[in-house]
């Protein structure tokens, strides 16, 4: 039966407003998730705030949005920088508004974060827009801008569907007028404000609501009008699982957070339950904290990793510390071998300053301190670079790790360890499929399998002998496609430098099974 035009118009008029979306945003992650994350200042634990590296780190970690601040220079150009003061994140002094773009471009905007970012420059808004195009959406927190110029820069890069412009209502009115409503805007909504009048007068594409004012009723009211809802969960009071769960259950679309990795793991576990594979984080959560340090181990625990992998070495006086290399040079800047130094001297060295300013006080940790930092759930993936099997067995027993550890070393080392304590869980390497029977003969807990030999048949053969299959996808194999393939074959544990990539593969595999 056909509807007359007038009847069709009447039907559309009574449809819920949510069915008539106010604005169609680009979806960087496909298929889209139920809730998207806005990383405050980008992935600022990886790189300097608001830098291209921090922004593109979102794309690498499947985080949908990067929040950045936009400020106006003395000569009317837009730059991305957190705060008006140059001293907080460059080697300059004064305010952004007092300098031309050319002058600002001469400043070092990376050394304050870590020596490895020396020479990083402030980025203009057009540079940020061009870098983010097709990769990550941008929350533009407009502190002081030229509305007409902002709109021109967004349109020139074709980024209308990849930005949300945040500011006060007067600025947003100018942005909408200049952009002829093609550039989406967002402002703060307070719970005591009349919602209908707010929408009528401001006409936003999205609203930001402080976490303590988010309710299901407010979310529903905005959604019925086709308006997205962003919960601001910044600060220790709000940026935690209790509040995340509350606002997600209320129906928000986006969360702005300083803790994007832990939030994404939290949300995914709530949605899919048990993961189809276990995750081991290489040298701890070394993407978000300096490798083989207490912060990296604690972050692995916060993420809910099944294992934190770390490397054990012995000092001159027979004590044990955590260090990947035989020398301390790469991560501490001091020049020596671990074996040549006393325990006291090694543990005085900073193992975190190279990574970032917040970790300057992170020292080379003692083995026992790392075992304590694991907490009571995360397993210990013990890479026994240089520790006697007797000492390692004693530590496993002392810390009650029998049910949550593995020991990586040669087949010969693992055999000695089993002779000392049959309850340990050795993980010898398996480099070729035809070596499987020989390595399995010592009855290991698992194989540390070379990624290139993984296959459905290889994993099935290991499982038939009661041996688990661990493998690290480090380097070129760190892709969602590779992870999914291995999960399809039945791999037990993936070791990774990129936990949110593995998590994305887990999401997709779990969706396929439903």
């Amino acid at each position: 039966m056909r509807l007359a035009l007038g009847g069709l118009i009447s039907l559309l008029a009574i449809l819920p407003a949510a069915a008539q979306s106010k604005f169609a945003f680009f979806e960087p992650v496909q298929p889209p998730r139920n809730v998207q994350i806005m990383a405050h200042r980008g992935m600022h634990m990886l790189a300097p705030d608001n830098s291209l590296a921090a922004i593109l780190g979102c794309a690498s970690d499947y985080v949908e949005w990067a929040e950045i601040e936009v400020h106006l220079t003395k000569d009317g150009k837009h730059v991305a920088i957190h705060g008006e003061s140059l001293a907080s994140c460059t080697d300059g002094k004064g305010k952004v508004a007092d300098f031309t773009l050319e002058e600002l471009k001469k400043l070092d905007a990376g050394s304050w974060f870590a020596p490895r970012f020396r020479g990083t420059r402030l980025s203009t808004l057009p540079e940020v827009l061009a870098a983010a195009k097709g990769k990550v959406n941008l929350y533009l927190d407009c502190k002081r801008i030229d509305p007409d110029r902002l709109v021109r820069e967004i349109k020139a890069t074709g980024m209308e569907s990849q930005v949300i412009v945040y500011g006060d209502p007067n600025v947003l009115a100018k942005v909408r007028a200049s952009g002829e409503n093609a550039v989406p805007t967002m402002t703060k909504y307070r719970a005591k404000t009349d919602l209908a009048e707010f929408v009528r007068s401001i006409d936003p594409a999205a609203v930001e609501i402080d976490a303590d004012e988010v309710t299901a009723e407010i979310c529903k009211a905005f959604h019925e009008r086709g308006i997205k809802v962003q919960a601001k969960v910044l600060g220790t009071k709000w940026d935690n699982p209790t509040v995340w769960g509350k606002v997600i259950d209320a129906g928000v679309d986006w969360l702005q957070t300083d803790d994007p990795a832990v939030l994404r793991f939290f949300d995914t576990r709530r949605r899919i339950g048990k993961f189809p594979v276990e995750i081991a984080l290489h040298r701890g959560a070394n993407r978000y904290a300096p490798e083989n340090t207490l912060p990296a181990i604690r972050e692995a625990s916060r993420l809910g990793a099944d294992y934190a992998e770390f490397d054990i070495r012995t000092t001159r006086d027979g004590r044990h510390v955590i260090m990947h290399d035989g020398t301390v040079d790469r991560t501490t800047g001091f020049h020596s071998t671990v074996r040549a130094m006393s325990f006291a001297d090694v543990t005085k060295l900073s193992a975190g300053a190279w990574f970032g300013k917040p970790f300057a006080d992170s020292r080379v940790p003692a083995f026992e301190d790392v075992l304590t930092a694991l907490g009571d759930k995360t397993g210990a993936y013990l890479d026994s670079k240089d520790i006697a099997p007797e000492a390692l067995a004693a530590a496993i027993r002392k810390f009650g790790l029998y049910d949550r550890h593995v020991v990586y070393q040669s087949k010969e080392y693992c055999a000695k360890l089993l002779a000392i304590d049959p309850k340990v869980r050795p993980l010898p390497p398996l480099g070729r499929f035809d070596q499987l029977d020989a390595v399995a003969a010592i009855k290991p807990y698992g194989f540390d399998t070379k990624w290139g030999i993984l296959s459905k048949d290889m994993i099935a053969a290991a499982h038939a002998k009661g041996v688990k299959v661990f493998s690290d996808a480090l380097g070129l194999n760190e892709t969602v496609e590779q992870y999914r393939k291995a999960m399809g074959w039945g791999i037990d544990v993936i070791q990774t430098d990129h936990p949110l990539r593995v998590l994305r593969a887990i999401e997709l595999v779990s969706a396929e099974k439903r």
Side-chain angles (χ1 to χ4, degrees), residues 293-364:
T293 61
L294 295 182
I297 301 303
R298 291 183 183 122
E299 187 68 6
S301 182
R302 291 181 68 240
L303 289 167
D306 299 285
Y307 293 93
E309 186 268 358
F310 50 90
D311 307 278
I312 313 163
R313 291 191 176 273
T314 303
T315 62
R316 185 181 67 213
D317 45 352
R319 301 281 299 276
H320 302 108
V321 296
I322 306 306
M323 177 69 62
H324 179 269
D325 303 349
T327 67
V328 300
D329 303 35
R330 181 173 59 85
T331 57
T332 73
F334 192 76
H335 301 292
S336 178
T337 64
V338 177
R339 273 284 183 177
M341 298 181 70
S342 69
F343 174 82
D345 286 342
V346 174
T347 53
K348 287 178 184 176
L349 299 175
S350 170
W354 70 272
F355 187 91
K357 184 178 180 180
F359 303 103
D361 293 332
S362 295
R363 307 297 168 188
V364 176

Side-chain angles (χ1 to χ4, degrees), residues 40-317:
H40 184 225
R41 310 181 195 176
M43 296 294 281
H44 61 81
M45 65 295 295
L46 304 180
D49 302 355
N50 292 269
S51 67
L52 292 181
I55 292 165
L56 295 179
C58 293
S60 296
D61 278 358
Y62 293 86
V63 172
E64 293 88 351
W65 292 81
E67 182 270 354
I68 63 169
E69 284 189 20
V70 182
H71 291 262
L72 204 61
T73 67
K74 183 178 180 179
D75 52 345
K77 308 294 176 60
H78 291 126
V79 293
I81 181 172
H82 183 76
E84 179 69 15
S85 172
L86 296 173
S88 63
C89 53
T90 75
D91 59 353
K93 295 180 180 179
K95 295 183 177 181
V96 175
D98 295 332
F99 294 85
T100 65
L101 178 61
E102 182 180 3
E103 291 169 332
L104 292 173
K105 278 289 191 179
K106 294 176 182 178
L107 300 177
D108 183 331
S111 293
W112 70 271
F113 183 85
R116 62 198 172 109
F117 287 101
R118 182 176 291 111
T120 297
R121 305 301 173 192
L122 293 177
S123 297
T124 65
L125 180 58
E127 288 170 342
V128 171
L129 292 167
K133 188 173 176 63
K135 300 182 182 74
V136 59
N137 291 348
L138 300 172
Y139 169 141
L140 303 178
D141 187 353
C142 295
K143 297 300 186 184
R144 180 171 171 269
I145 63 162
D146 175 341
D148 292 334
R149 185 181 189 93
L150 184 85
V151 169
R152 288 198 304 272
E153 290 172 341
I154 292 170
K155 286 190 169 184
T157 47
M159 286 283 284
E160 295 95 324
S161 66
Q162 277 192 253
V163 300
I164 189 77
V165 176
Y166 179 88
D168 68 53
N170 293 330
V171 171
L172 298 187
K174 294 175 182 177
V175 169
R176 286 196 303 276
S178 181
E180 298 178 338
N181 291 317
V183 175
T185 60
M186 175 173 67
T187 194
K188 178 82 73 178
Y189 173 75
R190 301 289 184 187
K192 293 182 179 180
T193 304
D194 182 271
L195 191 146
E197 176 58 23
F198 174 89
V199 171
R200 187 198 64 77
S201 61
I202 297 178
D203 190 30
V207 292
E208 175 176 282
I209 306 176
D210 288 342
D212 62 345
E213 295 188 351
V214 172
T215 66
E217 293 73 23
I218 289 175
C219 290
K220 180 181 179 183
F222 278 115
H223 288 160
E224 287 175 346
R225 292 162 172 81
I227 297 170
K228 298 281 190 181
V229 178
Q230 181 244 125
K232 184 176 181 179
V233 295
L234 304 181
T236 55
K237 183 178 179 181
W238 295 340
D239 219 354
N240 59 68
T242 299
V243 177
W244 297 338
K246 170 184 172 291
V247 298
I248 290 171
D249 289 344
V252 300
D253 303 284
W254 308 326
L255 280 79
Q256 184 187 174
T257 178
D258 278 315
D259 204 4
V262 177
L263 169 52
R264 180 51 69 202
F265 267 87
F266 166 81
D267 176 56
T268 304
R269 284 196 174 90
R270 290 179 92 227
R271 286 187 287 114
I272 69 176
K274 184 177 174 57
F275 288 176
V277 69
E278 291 188 326
I279 302 174
L281 297 190
H282 185 226
R283 306 181 196 177
N286 75 77
R287 182 160 173 79
Y288 308 118
E291 65 176 67
N292 282 316
T293 61
L294 295 182
I297 301 303
R298 291 183 183 122
E299 187 68 6
S301 182
R302 291 181 68 240
L303 289 167
D306 299 285
Y307 293 93
E309 186 268 358
F310 50 90
D311 307 278
I312 313 163
R313 291 191 176 273
T314 303
T315 62
R316 185 181 67 213
D317 45 352

Side-chain angles (χ1 to χ4, degrees), residues 392-407:
L392 187 60
I396 292 168
R397 181 173 59 254
K398 176 181 177 181
F399 283 85
L401 295 174
Y402 284 123
D403 295 330
R404 56 185 184 102
H405 83 281
V406 290
V407 177

